[in-house]
Amino acid sequence: MATKTPTFKVYLAGKVTGEDFNAVKAKFAKKQKELEALGYKVINPVTAIDNLNLNWTRAMKRCIDMVPKCDAIYLMADWKKSTGAKIEYLVADKFGLLKLFEETNERANCK
């Protein structure tokens, strides 16, 4: 994991659309708890939005707005199966965020 400071913010990215919402909430909450135990401030888009009636476009606009406010993006193992997470990855890349990958436990600052 990356060197962290008390305000090091990590944005969680993973598959949400098409999944059972309760399972998604549990998956994101579990990862948030794990990262917080390591000392990170976690930005969890599922709890930040938490509105089942919000359409995908509006939800993504809110998510895209949160990404650049973070120091890193944590890409859950299923992120490549998600259009939204792929967009969040691109935003994070353009803003120079550190990228942390769950499936390989690697970090990368480049494409």
Side-chain angles (χ1 to χ4, degrees), residues 38-91:
L38 295 171
Y40 296 103
K41 175 164 177 50
V42 178
I43 306 304
N44 180 341
V46 175
T47 57
I49 294 173
D50 199 25
N51 181 349
L52 289 174
N53 297 318
L54 197 63
N55 72 37
W56 184 87
T57 302
R58 287 189 178 186
M60 282 307 303
K61 285 180 180 179
R62 289 187 187 177
C63 292
I64 289 167
D65 185 52
M66 290 184 263
V67 173
K69 296 173 183 168
C70 297
D71 302 296
I73 185 168
Y74 186 93
L75 297 138
M76 299 170 114
D78 60 1
W79 78 276
K80 289 183 182 177
K81 299 176 185 171
S82 167
T83 300
K86 289 184 217 175
I87 292 168
E88 292 162 344
Y89 170 87
L90 292 172
V91 171

Side-chain angles (χ1 to χ4, degrees), residues 12-17 19-35 44 46 74 76-79 81-82 85 102:
L12 287 180
K15 185 161 175 45
V16 174
T17 303
E19 305 292 315
D20 175 74
F21 191 67
N22 289 325
V24 167
K25 282 178 80 168
K27 173 180 71 172
F28 275 72
K30 180 178 184 251
K31 188 51 62 180
Q32 178 177 355
K33 187 175 180 179
E34 289 173 12
L35 293 171
N44 180 341
V46 175
Y74 186 93
M76 299 170 114
D78 60 1
W79 78 276
K81 299 176 185 171
S82 167
E102 180 177 47

